[in-house]
Amino acid sequence: MTSAVRFGHFTFDHNSRLLLWNGAPRQLSSKAQDVLQVLIAARPRAVSRHDLLAVDSSLDAVIDELRRALGDDARERRFIRTVDAFGFAFCDEVSDAFPVHIAATLACGGHSYPLVNGENIVGRGAGSNIQIAHRAVSRRHARITVSPSEIVIEDLGSTNGTFVDGSKVEGRRAIVPASVIVFGTVGARVTSRTPSASGLSPGFLPDLIPV
C-alpha cells in the first residue's frame, strides 16, 4: 500500500498526516491523525479501546472529532463503526492514492497550516480548511489558491478585510514568501516548500495585532 489512501471523497496521507476532502484540507489534531492511521491500518479488524487508549486517553473526544471531520452520520456510520463493549473499526473501502503534495505552508498565530494545490479556505468557521480561532477573523474570511505558477489570495467578503503588505485585498492578488498577510488583525506569511526556487527570503511572521 502507498503512503496515501482514498476512501469516499477523502484522501489521507500517512507521511504528511494530511486529510483531504475533494482535494481540500480538513483540519485534524495530531491525536486524531494517530487514531485514524491505526484504524485504517487495522481494517477490517476492529481495534480495542485498550489498544486505542495507548494512542490517546481522551479517546471518545478524538473519535467525535474524526466523525465530524469525516461527516459521519450520527445514526448510520459510514467510516468509523462502534463495536459495542470492545472498540472501533474503520468500515469503508480503502484504495491506494497518490501521495498528497503540500505546495506551501501558511504560518499564522504560532501554527503552521499546509497549503495544497487548489483552493484553501481561511476562516473561523468549522467548514474552513484553515481554521483561525480569533474574533477578528470571519467564518469564511479568505481563499488562497495554489497553482504550479503562483499563489493567489482573495478576500471572501470578510468583516475586517484581508491585507497584503499593508494594502487591502480587492479581487485576486498574487502573494510570495516575502508577503506580509493580515486576516483582520491576525498576521501570517506563506512559506514556500521550495524557497530557493523563488529567490526570496521567507519574510517574517508578525505578531497578533491587538483589536
Side-chain angles (χ1 to χ4, degrees):
M1 179 176 296
T2 64
S3 66
V5 295
R6 183 183 303 279
F7 50 92
H9 294 289
F10 291 93
T11 300
F12 181 66
D13 190 314
H14 300 281
N15 289 340
S16 65
R17 297 168 64 84
L18 191 63
L19 177 69
L20 303 182
W21 178 78
N22 283 338
R26 283 284 175 93
Q27 193 169 351
L28 281 181
S29 67
S30 60
K31 295 175 181 179
Q33 295 163 9
D34 290 340
V35 170
L36 180 59
Q37 188 161 341
V38 169
L39 291 175
I40 290 175
R43 73 190 193 291
R45 179 178 60 85
V47 182
S48 70
R49 294 184 67 92
H50 178 270
D51 289 342
L52 287 172
L53 283 170
V55 177
D56 182 63
S57 57
S58 54
L59 182 58
D60 289 331
V62 171
I63 293 294
D64 285 345
E65 178 189 352
L66 277 175
R67 283 174 167 160
R68 287 195 302 271
L70 297 174
D72 251 356
D73 184 83
R75 291 166 294 184
E76 186 176 346
R77 304 298 187 189
R78 176 178 176 183
F79 299 111
I80 299 177
R81 176 172 58 90
T82 300
V83 181
D84 291 340
F86 183 75
F88 301 93
F90 193 87
C91 52
D92 197 53
E93 293 293 326
V94 171
S95 60
D96 290 347
F98 290 111
V100 175
H101 175 62
I102 301 175
T105 59
L106 180 74
C108 183
H111 299 280
S112 182
Y113 303 95
L115 295 173
V116 298
N117 288 328
E119 293 188 354
N120 301 265
I121 303 298
V122 180
R124 195 179 70 249
S128 301
N129 310 134
I130 299 171
Q131 281 187 266
I132 302 174
H134 192 278
R135 59 180 179 175
V137 178
S138 297
R139 293 182 63 82
R140 280 174 57 88
H141 196 103
R143 177 189 294 113
I144 299 176
T145 304
V146 180
S147 71
S149 60
E150 64 179 354
I151 301 176
V152 174
I153 191 167
E154 303 169 75
D155 187 81
L156 296 177
S158 66
T159 300
N160 296 310
T162 302
F163 303 83
V164 174
D165 297 330
S167 299
K168 189 172 184 178
V169 173
E170 303 285 353
R172 293 164 56 88
R173 177 162 178 178
I175 53 177
V176 296
S179 299
V180 177
I181 308 165
V182 178
F183 303 108
T185 61
V186 180
R189 67 176 171 86
V190 167
T191 302
S192 173
R193 298 286 288 182
T194 55
S196 60
S198 67
L200 298 170
S201 80
F204 65 93
L205 174 60
D207 295 328
L208 292 183
I209 303 171
V211 177

